[in-house]
Amino acid sequence: MGVTQETFSHDIHAQKGLTCVSCHGGDASSDDLAKAMSPAAGWKGAISRRQIPQLCGSCHSNPAYMRKFNPSLRTDQLAEYHTSVHGKRLAAGDTDVAVCTDCHGVHDLRAPNDPQSKVYPVNIANACARCHADANYMRKYSVPIDQFAKYNTSVHHEALVVQGDLSAPTCTTCHGNHGAAPPGVDSVPNVCSNCHVFQAQMYDKTAHKAVFDAASLPGCVVCHENHAIVHPTDAKLSNQPGATCMQCHTAGDVGDQARAEMLTGLTQLDGAIKEADQKLAVAEAAGMEVSDARLAQNDAKDSLTKARVAIHSFKPEVVRLYVQAGLKIADKDLQAGQNAMIERNHRRIGLGVSLFAITLVLAGLWMYIKKIEH
Ligand code: HEC
Ligand code: HEC
Ligand code: HEC
Ligand code: HEC
Ligand code: HEC
Ligand code: HEC
Ligand code: HEC
Ligand code: HEC
């Protein structure tokens, strides 16, 4: 049946001194099978999917019991689970939804911070995909099955799985692991603000927030998607088909004007930074000392980042503030690069003149020596 002492030895429950009997009941000290596996000895035998949350909760919802092992462990998993779509549907008799063991495994069940755990951040999406990306398994339901495929194309997947940045979200970061929504937010689309604080602070004060909320539009997700979130570029602000703003605004209205002005500012600063970078690279290659200007370029890039965050105020004047600050620095750096090249030219001329003088002296010396020898 696939349960071995070897697999169970890795299970957190085995490691904490629990045994098969802790979950399955029975009398492990009896050699008599009939007695060992008798209901009188608390024998439960096979545990049906429907019973699993209750079984796990019998310990995990008992603070007095859990405190003896690990006082810092939460004891609300079962209560939270009851609020989720999974929990509600299970209560209604649908055993195809996820129960505790679908996410955590069983008999080889590891603590969430163990990299081999099914709920270790990088592994979670695979656990969800086993059902949610399986067209056959999900055919009874009307929910889409593309979340895993889309998530795999996202910046979040790239950050978490490819770059190993454990602060990036996976499925359960946004959906909650046990409850219907993660702690601290009233609904899943609001979860972005837990991490993208600056954008959220700005967005929260805008007319968009008010009208989107009133129309039950999911905030950030309206412009960024939920699963296939990609790295946004300035092109999002263009008026080309598919760009963000023109999905709702029309040519010439207040949104279109704001978009155009913000795009112009960002393009200008981006261009100025690249130009200064190029000039400084040329100066550096020519052996000139431009490290101060190089360092200052970071401040210009910082202003560009802030200007892009400031889009979320949807006020061109706020974006302009950062653009102008950045332009000032980039212009100065460009000037520094140009000055360095002028200086290099001066030095080249000086070098040429002195080389010429040295050659003259050498030639004179040579002729003088020849003359003495003669
Ligand atoms: C933390 C609780 C827990 C512990 C400890 C545990 N089990 Fe299980 N076991 C379960 C659950 C829950 C299931 C049902 C799994 C499912 O359907 O996904 C199960 C299923 C089984 C099954 C399969 C039953 C069937 O009909 O498919 C066997 C056999 C089994 N366990 C034996 C063991 C043995 C032997 C040990 C000790 C080495 C053990 N279990 C320890 C919870 C536990
Ligand atoms: C007989 C009581 C009992 C049952 C039943 C039980 N557990 Fe546990 N579980 C424990 C104890 C004790 C620990 C160890 C806590 C610690 O020291 O961190 C634990 C640890 C865990 C952990 C690791 C927590 C951590 O971060 O350290 C997970 C996850 C877990 N159990 C899930 C389950 C699931 C899922 C089930 C049902 C299949 C289940 N447990 C059934 C008692 C139980
Ligand atoms: C939909 C998937 C899913 C289901 C279903 C699920 N869990 Fe979890 N569980 C997780 C994830 C993901 C984590 C890791 C959370 C983290 O890393 O902070 C976790 C963590 C835990 C922990 C460690 C402490 C904590 O709360 O972070 C325990 C204990 C636990 N789960 C028990 C249970 C029990 C008991 C059930 C069933 C009532 C259950 N889980 C159902 C995904 C799930
Ligand atoms: C054992 C299969 C299974 C696993 C594993 C599973 N789910 Fe589900 N899930 C379901 C089923 C079945 C539904 C019910 C579909 C519906 O709501 O109509 C569901 C519903 C949901 C819903 C509600 C969808 C809606 O809007 O109605 C969310 C969100 C969800 N699951 C997220 C997750 C996440 C996140 C994970 C991984 C941590 C996960 N699920 C793991 C089977 C599973
Ligand atoms: C960055 C946050 C985020 C991540 C990561 C994420 N989701 Fe979602 N998900 C959302 C939002 C927002 C919605 C739509 C809001 C709602 O209806 O609750 C949603 C909707 C869903 C739904 C309902 C059906 C649908 O597609 O609209 C399911 C099922 C689901 N997600 C599963 C998953 C799974 C599985 C993963 C991991 C592969 C995942 N999600 C990763 C934020 C996220
Ligand atoms: C758990 C924290 C967390 C949550 C929740 C979260 N993100 Fe992210 N997000 C990150 C991290 C980490 C990155 C990658 C590092 C970076 O580029 O900032 C990222 C990257 C992004 C990027 C690309 C940024 C860039 O410069 O390329 C966008 C856009 C984004 N997230 C939007 C969202 C939206 C919309 C939501 C909500 C549906 C959301 N995020 C939820 C942490 C989070
Ligand atoms: C009305 C559309 C819209 C809404 C709503 C929106 N954004 Fe954006 N967001 C954009 C556009 C356009 C960009 C592209 C900036 C660029 O690169 O020029 C962007 C860029 C970003 C970036 C990456 C660039 C950066 O550093 O700012 C992140 C992260 C981000 N948004 C997060 C969020 C979050 C979180 C929310 C919700 C609080 C949100 N956005 C709401 C349109 C929107
Ligand atoms: C989902 C539709 C939608 C998208 C996408 C959208 N807007 Fe809007 N926008 C609106 C609505 C609705 C209003 C409110 C009009 C009103 O107040 O009567 C609005 C208002 C505005 C206003 C006026 C705000 C104020 O303070 O009065 C500006 C500026 C604006 N949008 C800019 C943008 C920009 C820039 C983008 C792209 C990054 C964008 N919008 C994307 C729907 C949208």
Side-chain angles (χ1 to χ4, degrees):
M1 286 175 148
V3 195
T4 66
Q5 212 156 17
E6 154 60 17
T7 48
F8 189 59
S9 70
H10 302 293
D11 192 297
I12 176 90
H13 299 105
Q15 285 170 359
K16 296 288 170 166
L18 304 188
T19 65
C20 317
V21 170
S22 311
C23 289
H24 289 283
D27 180 359
S29 65
S30 171
D31 283 340
D32 179 354
L33 276 190
K35 260 179 78 185
M37 304 203 302
S38 72
W43 168 246
K44 292 183 213 136
I47 298 156
S48 76
R49 287 179 65 78
R50 243 193 125 161
Q51 294 168 320
I52 288 173
Q54 227 45 55
L55 165 74
C56 310
S58 66
C59 297
H60 282 282
S61 300
N62 182 344
Y65 172 83
M66 290 311 296
R67 213 175 297 130
K68 288 188 284 189
F69 294 89
N70 183 349
S72 67
L73 207 59
R74 300 169 58 146
T75 49
D76 61 356
Q77 296 89 7
L78 180 60
E80 288 278 307
Y81 175 76
H82 286 320
T83 70
S84 71
V85 173
H86 295 143
K88 284 185 188 151
R89 282 190 163 264
L90 184 74
D94 180 352
T95 53
D96 284 344
V97 294
V99 296
C100 317
T101 48
D102 290 311
C103 296
H104 288 283
V106 63
H107 303 135
D108 185 15
L109 195 165
R110 298 165 188 247
N113 58 6
D114 178 337
Q116 288 195 51
S117 163
K118 288 179 78 165
V119 296
Y120 187 69
V122 246
N123 305 336
I124 288 175
N126 295 320
C128 313
R130 199 169 57 86
C131 301
H132 281 281
D134 182 337
N136 193 34
Y137 193 88
M138 296 302 283
R139 72 182 184 283
K140 287 192 289 182
Y141 307 96
S142 56
V143 289
I145 50 153
D146 57 1
Q147 302 90 8
F148 181 65
K150 284 185 164 174
Y151 173 74
N152 282 348
T153 68
S154 74
V155 281
H156 291 143
H157 171 270
E158 164 80 21
L160 176 68
V161 179
V162 182
Q163 280 159 34
D165 175 358
L166 296 188
S167 71
T170 178
C171 318
T172 48
T173 323
C174 294
H175 288 284
N177 35 35
H178 304 118
V185 294
D186 48 9
S187 75
V188 175
N190 291 343
V191 74
C192 323
S193 51
N194 279 357
C195 303
H196 300 287
V197 181
F198 296 124
Q199 287 87 355
Q201 277 172 351
M202 291 196 162
Y203 169 75
D204 282 350
K205 294 192 203 114
T206 61
H208 281 147
K209 156 96 175 149
V211 282
F212 287 10
D213 281 0
S216 297
L217 289 175
C220 322
V221 173
V222 173
C223 299
H224 289 288
E225 258 266 20
N226 48 10
H227 298 123
I229 297 174
V230 295
H231 169 65
T233 63
D234 296 344
K236 257 175 111 66
L237 287 169
S238 77
N239 55 1
Q240 298 305 305
T244 309
C245 315
M246 302 313 276
Q247 284 166 17
C248 302
H249 290 283
T250 48
D253 79 359
V254 58
D256 181 30
Q257 286 168 14
R259 162 207 77 68
E261 194 179 327
M262 297 195 291
L263 179 60
T264 308
L266 291 173
T267 313
Q268 202 186 352
L269 179 53
D270 194 39
I273 289 175
K274 289 203 176 107
E275 198 188 346
D277 263 347
Q278 244 166 23
K279 203 58 161 186
L280 291 173
V282 172
E284 244 168 18
M288 301 304 293
E289 160 60 35
V290 287
S291 56
D292 280 351
R294 267 279 194 221
L295 212 60
Q297 277 292 86
N298 289 338
D299 294 335
K301 284 170 194 163
D302 210 34
S303 295
L304 181 57
T305 306
K306 285 182 180 149
R308 285 187 175 135
V309 174
I311 285 176
H312 297 90
S313 69
F314 306 106
K315 290 193 168 65
E317 61 273 22
V318 181
V319 175
R320 199 187 309 136
L321 226 61
Y322 292 109
V323 167
Q324 277 165 355
L327 278 177
K328 231 162 118 183
I329 305 171
D331 286 346
K332 230 173 102 184
D333 296 342
L334 179 68
Q335 199 59 53
Q338 276 164 350
N339 289 347
M341 290 312 286
I342 293 171
E343 161 117 14
R344 189 203 61 157
N345 290 347
H346 284 324
R347 285 193 199 165
R348 277 207 171 160
I349 294 168
L351 190 69
V353 171
S354 49
L355 273 181
F356 184 65
I358 292 168
T359 319
L360 267 185
V361 171
L362 283 179
L365 268 177
W366 183 74
M367 288 194 320
Y368 185 62
I369 291 167
K370 282 279 169 211
K371 194 175 158 200
I372 293 175
E373 273 177 3
H374 195 68

